[in-house]
Coordinates of all heavy atoms in Angstrom, one line a residue:
M1 N 5.2 -0.6 -8.9 CA 5.1 0.3 -7.7 C 3.6 0.4 -7.3 O 2.8 0.4 -8.2 CB 5.6 1.7 -8.1 CG 5.7 2.6 -6.9 SD 6.6 4.1 -7.3 CE 5.5 5.0 -8.4
V2 N 3.4 0.4 -6.0 CA 2.0 0.5 -5.5 C 1.9 1.7 -4.5 O 2.9 2.2 -4.1 CB 1.6 -0.8 -4.8 CG1 1.5 -1.9 -5.8 CG2 2.4 -1.1 -3.6
Y3 N 0.7 2.0 -4.2 CA 0.5 3.1 -3.3 C 0.1 2.5 -1.9 O -0.3 1.3 -1.8 CB -0.7 4.0 -3.8 CG -0.1 5.0 -4.8 CD1 0.2 4.6 -6.1 CD2 0.1 6.3 -4.4 CE1 0.8 5.5 -7.0 CE2 0.6 7.3 -5.3 CZ 0.9 6.8 -6.6 OH 1.5 7.7 -7.5
V4 N 0.4 3.3 -0.9 CA 0.3 2.8 0.5 C -0.4 3.8 1.4 O -0.1 5.0 1.2 CB 1.7 2.5 1.1 CG1 1.6 2.1 2.6 CG2 2.4 1.4 0.3
I5 N -1.4 3.4 2.2 CA -2.1 4.3 3.1 C -1.4 4.2 4.5 O -1.2 3.1 5.0 CB -3.6 4.0 3.2 CG1 -4.2 4.0 1.8 CG2 -4.3 5.0 4.1 CD1 -5.7 3.7 1.8
T6 N -1.1 5.4 5.0 CA -0.4 5.5 6.3 C -1.3 5.7 7.4 O -2.5 5.8 7.2 CB 0.7 6.6 6.3 OG1 0.0 7.9 6.2 CG2 1.6 6.5 5.1
S7 N -0.8 5.7 8.6 CA -1.6 5.9 9.8 C -2.3 7.3 9.9 O -3.1 7.5 10.8 CB -0.8 5.6 11.1 OG -0.3 4.3 11.1
A8 N -1.9 8.2 9.1 CA -2.6 9.5 9.0 C -4.0 9.4 8.5 O -4.8 10.4 8.5 CB -1.8 10.5 8.2
C9 N -4.4 8.2 8.0 CA -5.7 8.0 7.4 C -6.8 8.4 8.4 O -6.8 8.0 9.6 CB -5.9 6.5 7.0 SG -7.6 6.1 6.5
A10 N -7.8 9.2 8.0 CA -8.9 9.6 8.8 C -10.2 8.9 8.4 O -11.3 9.3 8.8 CB -9.1 11.1 8.8
K11 N -10.1 7.9 7.6 CA -11.2 7.0 7.1 C -12.3 7.8 6.3 O -13.4 7.5 6.5 CB -11.8 6.2 8.3 CG -10.8 5.3 9.0 CD -11.4 4.5 10.1 CE -12.2 3.4 9.6 NZ -12.7 2.6 10.7
D12 N -11.8 8.8 5.6 CA -12.7 9.4 4.6 C -12.6 8.5 3.4 O -11.6 8.2 2.9 CB -12.1 10.8 4.2 CG -13.0 11.6 3.3 OD1 -13.6 10.9 2.4 OD2 -13.0 12.8 3.3
D13 N -13.8 8.1 2.9 CA -13.8 7.0 1.8 C -13.6 7.6 0.4 O -13.8 6.9 -0.6 CB -15.0 6.1 1.9 CG -16.2 6.7 1.4 OD1 -16.2 8.0 1.2 OD2 -17.2 6.0 1.3
I14 N -13.2 8.9 0.3 CA -13.1 9.5 -1.0 C -12.0 8.7 -1.9 O -12.2 8.6 -3.1 CB -12.7 11.0 -0.9 CG1 -12.8 11.6 -2.3 CG2 -11.3 11.2 -0.3 CD1 -12.8 13.1 -2.2
C15 N -11.0 8.2 -1.2 CA -10.0 7.4 -1.9 C -10.6 6.1 -2.5 O -10.4 5.8 -3.6 CB -8.8 7.1 -1.1 SG -9.2 6.1 0.4
A16 N -11.3 5.4 -1.6 CA -11.9 4.1 -2.0 C -12.9 4.3 -3.2 O -12.9 3.5 -4.1 CB -12.5 3.4 -0.8
S17 N -13.7 5.3 -3.0 CA -14.8 5.5 -4.1 C -14.2 5.9 -5.4 O -14.8 5.7 -6.4 CB -15.8 6.5 -3.6 OG -15.3 7.8 -3.4
G18 N -13.0 6.5 -5.4 CA -12.4 6.9 -6.7 C -11.4 5.9 -7.3 O -10.9 6.2 -8.4
C19 N -11.2 4.8 -6.6 CA -10.2 3.9 -7.1 C -10.7 3.1 -8.2 O -11.7 2.3 -8.0 CB -9.7 3.0 -5.9 SG -8.6 1.7 -6.5
P20 N -10.1 3.1 -9.4 CA -10.6 2.4 -10.5 C -10.5 0.9 -10.4 O -11.1 0.1 -11.2 CB -9.8 2.9 -11.7 CG -8.5 3.4 -11.1 CD -8.9 3.9 -9.7
E21 N -9.6 0.4 -9.5 CA -9.4 -1.0 -9.4 C -10.1 -1.6 -8.2 O -10.0 -2.8 -7.9 CB -7.9 -1.3 -9.2 CG -7.0 -0.6 -10.2 CD -7.3 -1.1 -11.6 OE1 -7.8 -2.2 -11.8 OE2 -6.9 -0.5 -12.6
E22 N -10.9 -0.8 -7.4 CA -11.5 -1.3 -6.2 C -10.5 -2.0 -5.3 O -10.8 -3.0 -4.7 CB -12.7 -2.2 -6.5 CG -13.8 -1.5 -7.3 CD -15.1 -2.3 -7.5 OE1 -15.1 -3.5 -7.2 OE2 -16.0 -1.8 -8.1
A23 N -9.4 -1.3 -5.1 CA -8.3 -1.9 -4.4 C -8.2 -1.4 -2.9 O -7.4 -1.9 -2.2 CB -6.9 -1.5 -5.1
I24 N -9.1 -0.5 -2.5 CA -9.1 0.1 -1.2 C -10.2 -0.4 -0.3 O -11.4 -0.3 -0.7 CB -9.1 1.6 -1.3 CG1 -7.9 2.1 -2.2 CG2 -8.9 2.2 0.1 CD1 -7.9 3.6 -2.5
S25 N -9.9 -0.9 0.9 CA -10.9 -1.3 1.8 C -10.5 -0.8 3.2 O -9.4 -0.5 3.5 CB -11.0 -2.9 1.8 OG -11.3 -3.4 0.6
S26 N -11.5 -0.7 4.1 CA -11.3 -0.3 5.5 C -11.5 -1.5 6.4 O -12.1 -2.5 6.1 CB -12.2 0.8 5.9 OG -13.6 0.4 5.9
G27 N -10.8 -1.4 7.6 CA -10.9 -2.4 8.6 C -9.8 -2.2 9.6 O -9.2 -1.2 9.7
T28 N -9.6 -3.3 10.3 CA -8.6 -3.3 11.4 C -7.6 -4.5 11.2 O -8.0 -5.5 10.8 CB -9.2 -3.3 12.8 OG1 -9.9 -4.5 13.0 CG2 -10.1 -2.1 13.0
I29 N -6.4 -4.3 11.6 CA -5.4 -5.3 11.7 C -4.5 -5.0 12.8 O -4.1 -3.8 13.0 CB -4.7 -5.6 10.4 CG1 -3.8 -6.8 10.5 CG2 -3.9 -4.3 10.0 CD1 -3.1 -7.2 9.2
T30 N -4.0 -6.0 13.6 CA -3.0 -5.8 14.6 C -1.7 -6.4 14.1 O -1.7 -7.6 13.8 CB -3.4 -6.4 15.9 OG1 -4.6 -5.7 16.4 CG2 -2.4 -6.1 17.0
V31 N -0.7 -5.6 14.1 CA 0.7 -6.1 13.7 C 1.7 -5.7 14.7 O 1.8 -4.5 15.1 CB 1.1 -5.5 12.3 CG1 2.5 -6.0 11.9 CG2 0.1 -5.9 11.2
D32 N 2.4 -6.7 15.2 CA 3.4 -6.5 16.3 C 2.9 -5.7 17.4 O 3.6 -4.8 18.0 CB 4.6 -5.8 15.6 CG 5.4 -6.6 14.6 OD1 5.3 -7.9 14.7 OD2 6.0 -6.1 13.7
G33 N 1.6 -6.0 17.8 CA 1.0 -5.3 19.0 C 0.4 -4.0 18.7 O -0.1 -3.4 19.7
T34 N 0.5 -3.5 17.5 CA -0.1 -2.2 17.2 C -1.4 -2.4 16.3 O -1.3 -3.2 15.3 CB 0.8 -1.3 16.4 OG1 2.0 -1.1 17.2 CG2 0.2 0.0 16.0
E35 N -2.5 -1.9 16.8 CA -3.7 -2.0 16.0 C -3.9 -0.8 15.0 O -3.7 0.3 15.4 CB -5.0 -2.0 16.9 CG -6.3 -2.2 16.1 CD -7.5 -2.1 16.9 OE1 -7.9 -1.0 17.4 OE2 -8.2 -3.2 17.1
Y36 N -4.1 -1.2 13.8 CA -4.4 -0.2 12.7 C -5.8 -0.2 12.3 O -6.3 -1.3 11.9 CB -3.5 -0.5 11.5 CG -2.0 -0.5 11.8 CD1 -1.3 -1.6 12.3 CD2 -1.2 0.7 11.6 CE1 0.0 -1.6 12.5 CE2 0.1 0.7 11.9 CZ 0.7 -0.4 12.4 OH 2.1 -0.4 12.7
D37 N -6.5 0.9 12.5 CA -7.9 1.0 12.1 C -8.0 2.1 11.1 O -8.1 3.3 11.4 CB -8.7 1.4 13.4 CG -10.2 1.5 13.1 OD1 -10.7 1.2 12.0 OD2 -10.9 2.0 14.0
Q38 N -8.1 1.7 9.8 CA -7.9 2.7 8.7 C -8.3 2.0 7.4 O -8.8 0.9 7.4 CB -6.5 3.2 8.7 CG -5.5 2.0 8.4 CD -4.0 2.5 8.2 OE1 -3.3 2.8 9.1 NE2 -3.7 2.5 6.9
F39 N -8.0 2.8 6.3 CA -8.2 2.2 5.0 C -6.8 1.6 4.6 O -5.8 2.0 5.0 CB -8.6 3.3 4.0 CG -10.1 3.5 4.0 CD1 -10.7 4.2 5.0 CD2 -10.9 3.1 2.9 CE1 -12.1 4.4 5.0 CE2 -12.3 3.3 2.9 CZ -12.8 4.0 4.0
F40 N -6.9 0.6 3.7 CA -5.7 -0.1 3.2 C -5.8 -0.3 1.7 O -6.9 -0.4 1.2 CB -5.6 -1.5 3.9 CG -5.5 -1.4 5.4 CD1 -6.7 -1.6 6.1 CD2 -4.3 -1.2 6.1 CE1 -6.6 -1.6 7.5 CE2 -4.3 -1.2 7.5 CZ -5.4 -1.4 8.2
I41 N -4.6 -0.4 1.0 CA -4.6 -0.6 -0.4 C -4.1 -2.0 -0.6 O -3.0 -2.4 -0.1 CB -3.7 0.4 -1.1 CG1 -4.3 1.8 -1.0 CG2 -3.5 0.0 -2.6 CD1 -3.4 2.9 -1.5
D42 N -4.8 -2.8 -1.4 CA -4.4 -4.1 -1.8 C -3.3 -4.0 -2.9 O -3.6 -3.6 -4.0 CB -5.6 -4.9 -2.3 CG -5.3 -6.4 -2.7 OD1 -4.1 -6.7 -2.8 OD2 -6.2 -7.2 -2.8
P43 N -2.1 -4.4 -2.6 CA -1.0 -4.3 -3.6 C -1.2 -5.2 -4.8 O -0.5 -4.9 -5.8 CB 0.2 -4.6 -2.8 CG -0.2 -5.5 -1.7 CD -1.6 -5.0 -1.3
T44 N -2.0 -6.2 -4.7 CA -2.2 -7.1 -5.8 C -3.2 -6.5 -6.8 O -3.3 -7.0 -7.9 CB -2.7 -8.5 -5.4 OG1 -4.0 -8.4 -4.9 CG2 -1.8 -9.1 -4.3
K45 N -3.9 -5.4 -6.4 CA -4.9 -4.8 -7.3 C -4.5 -3.4 -7.8 O -4.9 -2.9 -8.8 CB -6.3 -4.7 -6.6 CG -6.9 -6.0 -6.3 CD -8.3 -5.8 -5.7 CE -9.1 -7.1 -5.5 NZ -10.4 -6.8 -4.8
C46 N -3.7 -2.7 -6.9 CA -3.3 -1.3 -7.3 C -2.6 -1.2 -8.6 O -1.6 -2.0 -8.9 CB -2.4 -0.8 -6.2 SG -1.8 0.9 -6.5
S47 N -3.1 -0.3 -9.5 CA -2.5 -0.2 -10.8 C -1.6 1.1 -10.9 O -1.2 1.5 -12.0 CB -3.6 -0.1 -11.8 OG -4.4 1.0 -11.6
D48 N -1.3 1.7 -9.7 CA -0.3 2.8 -9.7 C -0.8 4.1 -10.4 O 0.0 4.8 -11.0 CB 1.0 2.3 -10.3 CG 2.2 3.2 -10.1 OD1 2.2 3.9 -9.1 OD2 3.1 3.2 -10.9
C49 N -2.1 4.3 -10.4 CA -2.7 5.4 -11.1 C -2.5 6.8 -10.4 O -2.5 7.8 -11.0 CB -4.2 5.3 -11.4 SG -5.2 5.5 -10.0
G50 N -2.4 6.7 -9.0 CA -2.1 7.9 -8.2 C -3.4 8.7 -7.9 O -3.3 9.7 -7.2
S51 N -4.5 8.3 -8.3 CA -5.8 9.0 -8.0 C -6.0 9.1 -6.5 O -6.4 10.2 -6.0 CB -7.0 8.2 -8.6 OG -8.2 8.7 -8.2
C52 N -5.8 8.1 -5.7 CA -6.0 8.1 -4.3 C -5.1 9.1 -3.6 O -5.6 9.9 -2.7 CB -5.9 6.8 -3.7 SG -4.3 6.0 -4.0
E53 N -3.9 9.2 -4.0 CA -3.0 10.1 -3.3 C -3.4 11.5 -3.5 O -3.4 12.4 -2.6 CB -1.6 10.0 -3.9 CG -0.6 10.9 -3.3 CD 0.8 10.9 -4.0 OE1 0.9 10.6 -5.2 OE2 1.8 11.0 -3.3
A54 N -3.9 11.8 -4.7 CA -4.3 13.2 -5.1 C -5.6 13.6 -4.3 O -5.8 14.7 -4.0 CB -4.5 13.3 -6.6
S55 N -6.5 12.6 -4.0 CA -7.8 12.9 -3.5 C -7.8 12.9 -1.9 O -8.7 13.5 -1.3 CB -8.8 11.9 -3.9 OG -8.5 10.6 -3.4
C56 N -6.7 12.4 -1.3 CA -6.8 12.2 0.2 C -6.7 13.6 0.9 O -5.6 14.3 0.7 CB -5.7 11.3 0.6 SG -5.6 11.1 2.4
P57 N -7.7 14.0 1.7 CA -7.6 15.3 2.4 C -6.6 15.3 3.5 O -6.2 16.4 4.0 CB -9.0 15.5 2.9 CG -9.6 14.1 3.0 CD -9.0 13.3 1.9
E58 N -6.2 14.1 3.9 CA -5.2 14.1 5.0 C -3.8 13.9 4.5 O -2.8 13.8 5.3 CB -5.5 12.9 5.9 CG -7.0 12.9 6.5 CD -7.2 14.1 7.4 OE1 -6.3 14.6 8.0 OE2 -8.4 14.5 7.4
M59 N -3.6 13.8 3.2 CA -2.3 13.5 2.6 C -1.7 12.3 3.3 O -0.5 12.3 3.7 CB -1.4 14.8 2.7 CG -1.9 15.9 1.9 SD -1.1 17.5 2.2 CE 0.6 17.2 2.0
A60 N -2.5 11.3 3.4 CA -2.1 10.0 4.1 C -1.6 8.9 3.2 O -1.2 7.9 3.6 CB -3.3 9.5 4.9
I61 N -1.6 9.2 1.9 CA -1.3 8.2 0.9 C -0.1 8.6 0.1 O 0.1 9.7 -0.4 CB -2.5 8.0 -0.1 CG1 -3.8 7.7 0.7 CG2 -2.2 6.8 -1.0 CD1 -5.0 7.5 -0.1
F62 N 0.8 7.6 -0.1 CA 2.1 7.8 -0.8 C 2.4 6.6 -1.7 O 2.0 5.5 -1.4 CB 3.2 7.9 0.2 CG 3.1 9.0 1.2 CD1 2.4 8.9 2.4 CD2 3.8 10.2 1.0 CE1 2.3 9.9 3.3 CE2 3.7 11.3 1.9 CZ 2.9 11.1 3.1
S63 N 3.1 6.9 -2.8 CA 3.6 5.8 -3.5 C 4.7 5.1 -2.7 O 5.3 5.8 -1.8 CB 4.3 6.2 -4.9 OG 5.4 7.1 -4.6
E64 N 4.9 3.9 -2.8 CA 5.8 3.1 -1.9 C 7.2 3.8 -1.9 O 7.9 3.7 -0.9 CB 5.9 1.7 -2.3 CG 6.4 1.4 -3.7 CD 6.3 -0.1 -4.0 OE1 6.8 -0.9 -3.1 OE2 5.9 -0.5 -5.1
D65 N 7.6 4.3 -3.0 CA 9.0 4.9 -3.1 C 9.1 6.2 -2.4 O 10.2 6.7 -2.1 CB 9.4 5.1 -4.5 CG 9.7 3.8 -5.3 OD1 9.8 2.8 -4.6 OD2 9.8 3.8 -6.5
D66 N 7.9 6.9 -2.1 CA 7.9 8.2 -1.4 C 7.5 8.1 0.0 O 7.2 9.2 0.7 CB 7.0 9.1 -2.2 CG 7.5 9.4 -3.6 OD1 8.8 9.4 -3.8 OD2 6.7 9.8 -4.5
L67 N 7.3 6.9 0.6 CA 6.8 6.8 2.0 C 7.8 7.5 2.9 O 9.0 7.3 2.8 CB 6.7 5.3 2.4 CG 5.5 4.6 2.0 CD1 5.7 3.1 2.2 CD2 4.3 5.1 2.9
P68 N 7.3 8.3 3.8 CA 8.2 8.9 4.9 C 8.8 7.8 5.7 O 8.3 6.7 5.8 CB 7.2 9.7 5.7 CG 6.0 9.9 4.9 CD 5.9 8.7 4.0
A69 N 10.0 8.1 6.2 CA 10.8 7.0 7.0 C 9.9 6.4 8.1 O 10.0 5.2 8.2 CB 12.0 7.7 7.5
E70 N 9.1 7.2 8.8 CA 8.4 6.7 9.9 C 7.2 5.8 9.5 O 6.5 5.2 10.3 CB 7.9 7.8 10.8 CG 6.8 8.8 10.2 CD 7.5 9.9 9.4 OE1 8.7 9.9 9.0 OE2 6.7 10.9 9.1
S71 N 6.9 5.8 8.2 CA 5.8 5.1 7.7 C 6.2 3.9 6.7 O 5.3 3.3 6.1 CB 4.8 6.0 6.9 OG 4.3 7.0 7.7
K72 N 7.4 3.6 6.7 CA 7.9 2.5 5.8 C 7.2 1.2 6.1 O 6.9 0.4 5.2 CB 9.4 2.4 5.9 CG 10.2 3.6 5.4 CD 10.3 3.6 3.9 CE 11.2 4.7 3.4 NZ 11.1 5.1 2.0
S73 N 7.0 1.0 7.4 CA 6.4 -0.3 7.8 C 4.9 -0.5 7.3 O 4.4 -1.6 7.2 CB 6.4 -0.5 9.3 OG 5.6 0.5 9.9
L74 N 4.3 0.6 6.9 CA 2.9 0.5 6.5 C 2.7 -0.2 5.2 O 1.7 -0.7 4.9 CB 2.3 1.9 6.4 CG 1.6 2.4 7.7 CD1 0.3 1.6 8.0 CD2 2.5 2.4 8.9
K75 N 3.8 -0.3 4.4 CA 3.7 -1.1 3.1 C 3.3 -2.5 3.5 O 2.4 -3.1 2.9 CB 5.0 -1.0 2.3 CG 4.9 -1.8 1.1 CD 6.2 -1.8 0.3 CE 6.2 -2.8 -0.9 NZ 7.5 -2.8 -1.6
A76 N 4.0 -3.1 4.4 CA 3.7 -4.5 4.8 C 2.4 -4.6 5.5 O 1.7 -5.6 5.4 CB 4.9 -5.0 5.7
V77 N 2.0 -3.6 6.3 CA 0.8 -3.6 7.0 C -0.4 -3.6 6.0 O -1.4 -4.4 6.1 CB 0.7 -2.4 8.0 CG1 -0.7 -2.4 8.6 CG2 1.7 -2.6 9.1
N78 N -0.3 -2.7 5.0 CA -1.4 -2.7 4.0 C -1.5 -4.1 3.3 O -2.6 -4.6 3.1 CB -1.1 -1.6 2.9 CG -1.5 -0.2 3.3 OD1 -2.4 0.3 2.6 ND2 -1.0 0.3 4.3
A79 N -0.4 -4.7 3.0 CA -0.5 -6.0 2.3 C -1.0 -7.1 3.2 O -1.8 -7.9 2.8 CB 0.9 -6.4 1.8
A80 N -0.6 -7.0 4.5 CA -1.0 -8.0 5.5 C -2.5 -8.0 5.7 O -3.2 -9.0 5.9 CB -0.3 -7.8 6.8
F81 N -3.1 -6.8 5.6 CA -4.6 -6.7 5.8 C -5.4 -7.6 4.9 O -6.4 -8.1 5.3 CB -5.0 -5.2 5.7 CG -6.5 -5.0 5.8 CD1 -7.1 -5.0 7.0 CD2 -7.3 -4.8 4.6 CE1 -8.5 -4.8 7.1 CE2 -8.7 -4.7 4.7 CZ -9.3 -4.7 6.0
F82 N -4.9 -7.7 3.7 CA -5.6 -8.5 2.7 C -5.3 -10.0 2.7 O -5.9 -10.8 1.9 CB -5.4 -7.9 1.3 CG -6.0 -6.5 1.1 CD1 -5.1 -5.4 1.3 CD2 -7.3 -6.3 0.8 CE1 -5.6 -4.1 1.2 CE2 -7.8 -5.0 0.7 CZ -7.0 -3.9 0.9
K83 N -4.4 -10.4 3.6 CA -4.1 -11.8 3.8 C -4.7 -12.4 5.0 O -4.5 -13.6 5.2 CB -2.6 -11.9 3.8 CG -1.9 -11.6 2.5 CD -0.4 -11.7 2.5 CE 0.2 -11.4 1.2 NZ 1.7 -11.4 1.2
Q84 N -5.3 -11.6 5.9 CA -5.8 -12.1 7.2 C -7.2 -12.7 7.0 O -7.8 -12.6 6.0 CB -5.9 -11.0 8.2 CG -6.9 -9.9 7.9 CD -6.9 -8.8 9.0 OE1 -6.3 -9.0 10.1 NE2 -7.4 -7.6 8.7
Ligands
SF4_101 S1 -3.0 4.3 -6.9 FE1 -5.0 4.1 -8.2 S2 -5.3 1.9 -8.4 FE2 -3.8 2.2 -6.7 S3 -5.1 2.2 -4.8 FE3 -4.8 4.4 -5.5 S4 -6.6 4.9 -6.7 FE4 -6.5 2.6 -6.6

């Protein structure tokens, strides 16, 4: 299981600075005509510790199994960011 950052991200880097795996980066990606300008989690690095979810002031981070229905697509968006 990995964690996913949703579009509620306000680009506060507290999640990235606290990640023990250095799995979180910021930037932009356009997927299916929608531009995402936020932080993203690299699913190949995330160790499922949960630190980022607990630290996010916007409550923008979820484990993949707990993603709200409207944010399910963000799992693929997070992964795609690290492949571009
Ligand atoms: S769950 Fe832990 S390892 Fe995964 S991105 Fe968040 S802080 Fe990093």
